[in-house]
Amino acid sequence: MKPKKKDIRSLTKEQLRKFFVENGDKAFRGNQVFEWLWSKSLHTFEAMTNISKDTREMLEENFVINHIEVDSMQRSKDGTIKNGIRLHDGFIVESVLIPTEKRTTACVSSQVGCSLDCRFCATSRLKRMRNLNPDEIYDQVVAIDKQSKLYHNRKLSNIVFMGMGEPLMNYNNVIKSIDKITSPEGLGMSSKRITVSTSGVPKIIKKMADDEVKFNLAVSLHSAIDSVRTSIMPFNETFPLKDLGDSLVYWFEKTQRVVTYEYIVWDGINDKKEDIKALINFCKLIPCKVNLIEYNPIDDGEFQQANSRVIDNYISNLEMHDIVVNVRRSRGKDIDAACGQLANKS
Ligand code: SAH
């Protein structure tokens, strides 16, 4: 049996240059091929027009170019597009294009399924099958950038890691994908326009601070009381709020970057005075802002968003303590493309 061919995009530029030298060609050829693979996003060797036929055939014999395929596409009334993305081994993940007046945001997945168990999130019902490779994350961004140009006449402006999966449980690949997204040899986007959202893995938050990452950090908090948080996000038992808080203090000391807390207010779960008080105390740890997000029901009806009076109460109390608070409306609800609704339904 022939050995399985290697995915050429798992090679760094240096490795690619070395490959050409070892095969009697110039190192520079590696740069040319690298450019076709990343900034030009080609999926076949045949289309690499400045590479000789012999070289292309030699590449074909040694490598494959694994790539994603947009398998299905649904468009919402509000312009949101949900893509079912087929990976080279047949797994499906979802990525969403979210247009607003001024920007187009790509919401990308980082894992097939999710390793966490947030009880209000549809993705948590899917077992984590595997991590996405850097190129699979990068390709989602490229695909949405194309759709943004096609349907909205403008380039993609922002990226959020809020699709399927927990990005900090696939940290190395997420970082590699962001390197390509921000590199001039990839998409050349600014890391200021990228937000990584996590349920909060303290050890990795500290590592990110040590690595001096330049993108934004959002934490899905939902409660600042351990017993409540554990009841809705059971992994909080392993990563309690004290550890999360410590890691965020460390993050701020190292990076001086404000953290966004994502927070949903549910009826009977976190709608009491002490919930608000705990959130205010947690917010005092470091400079931050709070995004109150609208709950998108997943079918079992167990969770219900609190009424507007409770939410107004949250807002006025946070503001009284000079905490910046935004209310985030959901997009793409009619096609199950909103936060927490990604579950490969179609
Ligand atoms: N694992 C990461 C990223 C994926 S979830 C994280 O936890 O941050 C992206 C955001 O959607 C998180 O803030 C999450 O709490 C939120 N979310 C999950 N289910 C939701 C739902 N049903 N309605 C609204 N937001 C939800």
Side-chain angles (χ1 to χ4, degrees), residues 263-299:
Y263 200 101
I264 305 172
V265 189
W266 289 285
D267 206 16
I269 292 178
N270 55 358
D271 55 356
K272 288 171 277 309
K273 260 197 206 136
E274 60 253 39
D275 294 297
I276 303 180
K277 216 171 125 200
L279 175 60
I280 289 167
N281 281 335
F282 197 85
C283 285
K284 286 186 179 151
L285 287 173
I286 56 163
C288 63
K289 59 183 184 191
V290 175
N291 280 352
L292 290 180
I293 46 188
E294 193 181 343
Y295 177 56
N296 303 308
I298 55 174
D299 359 81

Short mmCIF file of all heavy atoms in Angstrom, two decimals, residues 263-299:
data_model
loop_
_atom_site.label_atom_id
_atom_site.label_comp_id
_atom_site.label_asym_id
_atom_site.label_seq_id
_atom_site.Cartn_x
_atom_site.Cartn_y
_atom_site.Cartn_z
N TYR A 263 -22.88 37.35 29.01
CA TYR A 263 -23.74 37.03 30.14
C TYR A 263 -25.19 36.95 29.65
O TYR A 263 -25.69 37.87 29.01
CB TYR A 263 -23.58 38.14 31.19
CG TYR A 263 -24.01 37.78 32.59
CD1 TYR A 263 -23.06 37.45 33.54
CD2 TYR A 263 -25.35 37.80 32.96
CE1 TYR A 263 -23.44 37.13 34.85
CE2 TYR A 263 -25.74 37.48 34.26
CZ TYR A 263 -24.77 37.15 35.20
OH TYR A 263 -25.14 36.84 36.49
N ILE A 264 -25.84 35.85 29.96
CA ILE A 264 -27.27 35.72 29.65
C ILE A 264 -28.01 35.70 30.99
O ILE A 264 -27.53 35.07 31.94
CB ILE A 264 -27.57 34.40 28.90
CG1 ILE A 264 -26.73 34.28 27.63
CG2 ILE A 264 -29.06 34.30 28.55
CD1 ILE A 264 -26.83 32.92 26.94
N VAL A 265 -29.14 36.41 31.04
CA VAL A 265 -29.94 36.38 32.27
C VAL A 265 -31.14 35.46 32.06
O VAL A 265 -31.94 35.68 31.14
CB VAL A 265 -30.41 37.79 32.68
CG1 VAL A 265 -31.04 37.73 34.08
CG2 VAL A 265 -29.26 38.79 32.68
N TRP A 266 -31.21 34.41 32.88
CA TRP A 266 -32.31 33.45 32.76
C TRP A 266 -33.26 33.55 33.96
O TRP A 266 -32.82 33.79 35.10
CB TRP A 266 -31.78 32.01 32.73
CG TRP A 266 -31.07 31.61 31.49
CD1 TRP A 266 -31.63 31.32 30.27
CD2 TRP A 266 -29.66 31.42 31.33
NE1 TRP A 266 -30.65 30.97 29.38
CE2 TRP A 266 -29.44 31.02 29.99
CE3 TRP A 266 -28.56 31.55 32.18
CZ2 TRP A 266 -28.17 30.75 29.49
CZ3 TRP A 266 -27.29 31.29 31.68
CH2 TRP A 266 -27.11 30.89 30.35
N ASP A 267 -34.48 33.29 33.63
CA ASP A 267 -35.54 33.21 34.61
C ASP A 267 -35.21 32.14 35.67
O ASP A 267 -34.89 31.01 35.33
CB ASP A 267 -36.80 32.76 33.82
CG ASP A 267 -38.05 33.23 34.49
OD1 ASP A 267 -37.96 34.12 35.35
OD2 ASP A 267 -39.11 32.69 34.14
N GLY A 268 -35.25 32.55 36.93
CA GLY A 268 -35.08 31.56 38.01
C GLY A 268 -33.68 31.02 38.19
O GLY A 268 -33.44 30.17 39.03
N ILE A 269 -32.73 31.48 37.38
CA ILE A 269 -31.36 30.94 37.49
C ILE A 269 -30.39 32.00 38.03
O ILE A 269 -29.74 31.79 39.05
CB ILE A 269 -30.88 30.36 36.14
CG1 ILE A 269 -31.72 29.11 35.83
CG2 ILE A 269 -29.38 30.02 36.17
CD1 ILE A 269 -31.42 28.43 34.53
N ASN A 270 -30.33 33.12 37.34
CA ASN A 270 -29.40 34.18 37.77
C ASN A 270 -30.10 35.54 37.73
O ASN A 270 -29.54 36.52 37.25
CB ASN A 270 -28.13 34.18 36.90
CG ASN A 270 -28.47 34.28 35.43
OD1 ASN A 270 -29.64 34.32 35.05
ND2 ASN A 270 -27.44 34.35 34.59
N ASP A 271 -31.34 35.56 38.19
CA ASP A 271 -32.14 36.80 38.08
C ASP A 271 -32.33 37.51 39.43
O ASP A 271 -33.18 38.37 39.58
CB ASP A 271 -33.51 36.48 37.45
CG ASP A 271 -34.27 35.38 38.20
OD1 ASP A 271 -33.70 34.82 39.17
OD2 ASP A 271 -35.43 35.10 37.84
N LYS A 272 -31.53 37.09 40.43
CA LYS A 272 -31.74 37.68 41.75
C LYS A 272 -30.71 38.77 42.08
O LYS A 272 -29.69 38.87 41.40
CB LYS A 272 -31.68 36.56 42.81
CG LYS A 272 -32.92 35.66 42.76
CD LYS A 272 -32.81 34.45 43.62
CE LYS A 272 -32.06 33.27 43.04
NZ LYS A 272 -32.45 32.83 41.70
N LYS A 273 -31.04 39.51 43.15
CA LYS A 273 -30.14 40.59 43.59
C LYS A 273 -28.72 40.10 43.81
O LYS A 273 -27.75 40.75 43.42
CB LYS A 273 -30.66 41.16 44.92
CG LYS A 273 -31.44 42.42 44.78
CD LYS A 273 -31.52 43.10 46.15
CE LYS A 273 -32.76 43.97 46.24
NZ LYS A 273 -33.49 43.84 47.49
N GLU A 274 -28.60 38.93 44.46
CA GLU A 274 -27.24 38.46 44.78
C GLU A 274 -26.46 38.08 43.52
O GLU A 274 -25.23 38.13 43.52
CB GLU A 274 -27.26 37.29 45.78
CG GLU A 274 -28.01 36.07 45.34
CD GLU A 274 -29.33 35.91 46.09
OE1 GLU A 274 -30.01 36.94 46.34
OE2 GLU A 274 -29.69 34.76 46.42
N ASP A 275 -27.20 37.72 42.44
CA ASP A 275 -26.50 37.41 41.19
C ASP A 275 -25.86 38.69 40.62
O ASP A 275 -24.74 38.68 40.14
CB ASP A 275 -27.49 36.84 40.16
CG ASP A 275 -28.04 35.48 40.60
OD1 ASP A 275 -27.24 34.55 40.72
OD2 ASP A 275 -29.26 35.38 40.84
N ILE A 276 -26.64 39.78 40.71
CA ILE A 276 -26.14 41.06 40.19
C ILE A 276 -24.95 41.53 41.03
O ILE A 276 -23.92 41.97 40.50
CB ILE A 276 -27.26 42.14 40.19
CG1 ILE A 276 -28.45 41.65 39.36
CG2 ILE A 276 -26.73 43.47 39.67
CD1 ILE A 276 -29.62 42.61 39.27
N LYS A 277 -25.11 41.37 42.33
CA LYS A 277 -24.04 41.80 43.24
C LYS A 277 -22.74 41.03 42.97
O LYS A 277 -21.65 41.62 42.90
CB LYS A 277 -24.49 41.55 44.69
CG LYS A 277 -24.02 42.63 45.63
CD LYS A 277 -24.66 42.47 46.99
CE LYS A 277 -23.56 42.40 48.03
NZ LYS A 277 -24.00 41.81 49.29
N ALA A 278 -22.88 39.73 42.77
CA ALA A 278 -21.70 38.91 42.50
C ALA A 278 -21.04 39.32 41.18
O ALA A 278 -19.80 39.38 41.07
CB ALA A 278 -22.09 37.43 42.46
N LEU A 279 -21.86 39.63 40.19
CA LEU A 279 -21.30 40.05 38.90
C LEU A 279 -20.53 41.36 39.06
O LEU A 279 -19.41 41.50 38.54
CB LEU A 279 -22.42 40.19 37.84
CG LEU A 279 -21.97 40.75 36.49
CD1 LEU A 279 -20.92 39.85 35.83
CD2 LEU A 279 -23.17 40.91 35.53
N ILE A 280 -21.12 42.28 39.81
CA ILE A 280 -20.45 43.57 40.02
C ILE A 280 -19.10 43.35 40.70
O ILE A 280 -18.08 43.92 40.29
CB ILE A 280 -21.35 44.53 40.82
CG1 ILE A 280 -22.51 44.99 39.92
CG2 ILE A 280 -20.56 45.74 41.34
CD1 ILE A 280 -23.63 45.69 40.63
N ASN A 281 -19.08 42.49 41.69
CA ASN A 281 -17.80 42.21 42.38
C ASN A 281 -16.78 41.58 41.43
O ASN A 281 -15.61 41.94 41.45
CB ASN A 281 -18.02 41.28 43.58
CG ASN A 281 -18.57 42.07 44.76
OD1 ASN A 281 -18.35 43.28 44.86
ND2 ASN A 281 -19.28 41.39 45.64
N PHE A 282 -17.25 40.66 40.62
CA PHE A 282 -16.33 40.01 39.67
C PHE A 282 -15.78 41.06 38.69
O PHE A 282 -14.59 41.04 38.34
CB PHE A 282 -17.06 38.89 38.91
CG PHE A 282 -16.12 37.93 38.23
CD1 PHE A 282 -15.57 36.85 38.92
CD2 PHE A 282 -15.77 38.11 36.90
CE1 PHE A 282 -14.69 35.96 38.29
CE2 PHE A 282 -14.89 37.23 36.26
CZ PHE A 282 -14.36 36.15 36.96
N CYS A 283 -16.63 41.99 38.29
CA CYS A 283 -16.22 43.03 37.34
C CYS A 283 -15.19 43.98 37.92
O CYS A 283 -14.51 44.70 37.19
CB CYS A 283 -17.43 43.84 36.87
SG CYS A 283 -18.44 42.93 35.71
N LYS A 284 -15.10 44.01 39.25
CA LYS A 284 -14.14 44.92 39.87
C LYS A 284 -12.71 44.37 39.80
O LYS A 284 -11.75 45.08 40.10
CB LYS A 284 -14.53 45.19 41.32
CG LYS A 284 -15.73 46.13 41.35
CD LYS A 284 -16.08 46.56 42.75
CE LYS A 284 -17.28 47.50 42.71
NZ LYS A 284 -18.07 47.43 43.94
N LEU A 285 -12.56 43.10 39.43
CA LEU A 285 -11.23 42.50 39.37
C LEU A 285 -10.31 43.22 38.40
O LEU A 285 -9.16 43.50 38.69
CB LEU A 285 -11.33 41.02 38.97
CG LEU A 285 -11.87 40.03 40.01
CD1 LEU A 285 -12.04 38.66 39.38
CD2 LEU A 285 -10.93 39.95 41.22
N ILE A 286 -10.85 43.46 37.20
CA ILE A 286 -10.04 44.13 36.16
C ILE A 286 -10.96 44.98 35.29
O ILE A 286 -12.17 44.75 35.26
CB ILE A 286 -9.33 43.10 35.23
CG1 ILE A 286 -10.35 42.13 34.61
CG2 ILE A 286 -8.22 42.36 35.94
CD1 ILE A 286 -9.81 41.38 33.40
N PRO A 287 -10.40 45.92 34.52
CA PRO A 287 -11.24 46.68 33.58
C PRO A 287 -11.92 45.73 32.58
O PRO A 287 -11.26 44.86 32.02
CB PRO A 287 -10.24 47.59 32.86
CG PRO A 287 -9.11 47.73 33.84
CD PRO A 287 -9.02 46.40 34.54
N CYS A 288 -13.21 45.91 32.43
CA CYS A 288 -13.96 44.95 31.61
C CYS A 288 -15.21 45.61 31.07
O CYS A 288 -15.54 46.73 31.44
CB CYS A 288 -14.37 43.76 32.47
SG CYS A 288 -15.49 44.22 33.80
N LYS A 289 -15.88 44.93 30.18
CA LYS A 289 -17.25 45.35 29.84
C LYS A 289 -18.13 44.12 29.80
O LYS A 289 -17.64 42.99 29.64
CB LYS A 289 -17.29 46.15 28.56
CG LYS A 289 -16.75 45.44 27.37
CD LYS A 289 -16.78 46.36 26.17
CE LYS A 289 -16.32 45.57 24.95
NZ LYS A 289 -16.06 46.34 23.80
N VAL A 290 -19.42 44.35 29.94
CA VAL A 290 -20.36 43.22 29.99
C VAL A 290 -21.26 43.28 28.76
O VAL A 290 -21.83 44.32 28.46
CB VAL A 290 -21.21 43.29 31.28
CG1 VAL A 290 -22.28 42.20 31.28
CG2 VAL A 290 -20.33 43.18 32.52
N ASN A 291 -21.33 42.19 28.03
CA ASN A 291 -22.32 42.06 26.96
C ASN A 291 -23.46 41.18 27.45
O ASN A 291 -23.25 39.99 27.71
CB ASN A 291 -21.71 41.41 25.71
CG ASN A 291 -20.92 42.41 24.88
OD1 ASN A 291 -20.95 43.61 25.14
ND2 ASN A 291 -20.21 41.89 23.89
N LEU A 292 -24.63 41.79 27.62
CA LEU A 292 -25.79 40.98 27.98
C LEU A 292 -26.34 40.41 26.69
O LEU A 292 -26.76 41.16 25.81
CB LEU A 292 -26.85 41.84 28.67
CG LEU A 292 -26.48 42.33 30.08
CD1 LEU A 292 -27.61 43.19 30.64
CD2 LEU A 292 -26.18 41.18 31.03
N ILE A 293 -26.26 39.09 26.54
CA ILE A 293 -26.72 38.51 25.28
C ILE A 293 -28.09 37.88 25.39
O ILE A 293 -28.47 37.35 26.42
CB ILE A 293 -25.70 37.55 24.62
CG1 ILE A 293 -25.10 36.56 25.59
CG2 ILE A 293 -24.61 38.32 23.93
CD1 ILE A 293 -23.98 35.73 24.99
N GLU A 294 -28.80 38.02 24.29
CA GLU A 294 -30.15 37.48 24.22
C GLU A 294 -30.06 35.96 24.20
O GLU A 294 -29.21 35.40 23.51
CB GLU A 294 -30.77 37.98 22.92
CG GLU A 294 -32.24 37.80 22.81
CD GLU A 294 -32.74 38.31 21.45
OE1 GLU A 294 -32.02 39.08 20.78
OE2 GLU A 294 -33.84 37.92 21.09
N TYR A 295 -30.91 35.29 24.94
CA TYR A 295 -30.88 33.83 24.94
C TYR A 295 -31.61 33.28 23.72
O TYR A 295 -32.71 33.72 23.40
CB TYR A 295 -31.54 33.28 26.22
CG TYR A 295 -31.60 31.77 26.22
CD1 TYR A 295 -30.43 31.02 26.08
CD2 TYR A 295 -32.81 31.09 26.32
CE1 TYR A 295 -30.46 29.64 26.03
CE2 TYR A 295 -32.85 29.70 26.29
CZ TYR A 295 -31.68 28.99 26.14
OH TYR A 295 -31.71 27.62 26.09
N ASN A 296 -30.96 32.37 23.04
CA ASN A 296 -31.59 31.71 21.90
C ASN A 296 -32.01 30.32 22.34
O ASN A 296 -31.18 29.46 22.56
CB ASN A 296 -30.60 31.60 20.74
CG ASN A 296 -30.08 32.97 20.36
OD1 ASN A 296 -30.86 33.88 20.13
ND2 ASN A 296 -28.78 33.12 20.33
N PRO A 297 -33.33 30.14 22.46
CA PRO A 297 -33.80 28.88 23.01
C PRO A 297 -33.34 27.69 22.17
O PRO A 297 -33.32 27.76 20.94
CB PRO A 297 -35.32 29.01 22.95
CG PRO A 297 -35.59 30.46 22.78
CD PRO A 297 -34.41 31.05 22.08
N ILE A 298 -32.90 26.64 22.83
CA ILE A 298 -32.68 25.37 22.12
C ILE A 298 -33.84 24.49 22.57
O ILE A 298 -34.40 24.73 23.64
CB ILE A 298 -31.28 24.78 22.44
CG1 ILE A 298 -31.06 24.61 23.94
CG2 ILE A 298 -30.20 25.69 21.88
CD1 ILE A 298 -29.77 23.90 24.30
N ASP A 299 -34.23 23.54 21.79
CA ASP A 299 -35.61 23.05 21.90
C ASP A 299 -36.17 22.61 23.26
O ASP A 299 -37.36 22.62 23.44
CB ASP A 299 -35.94 21.93 20.88
CG ASP A 299 -34.79 21.62 20.01
OD1 ASP A 299 -33.90 20.87 20.46
OD2 ASP A 299 -34.77 22.18 18.92
#
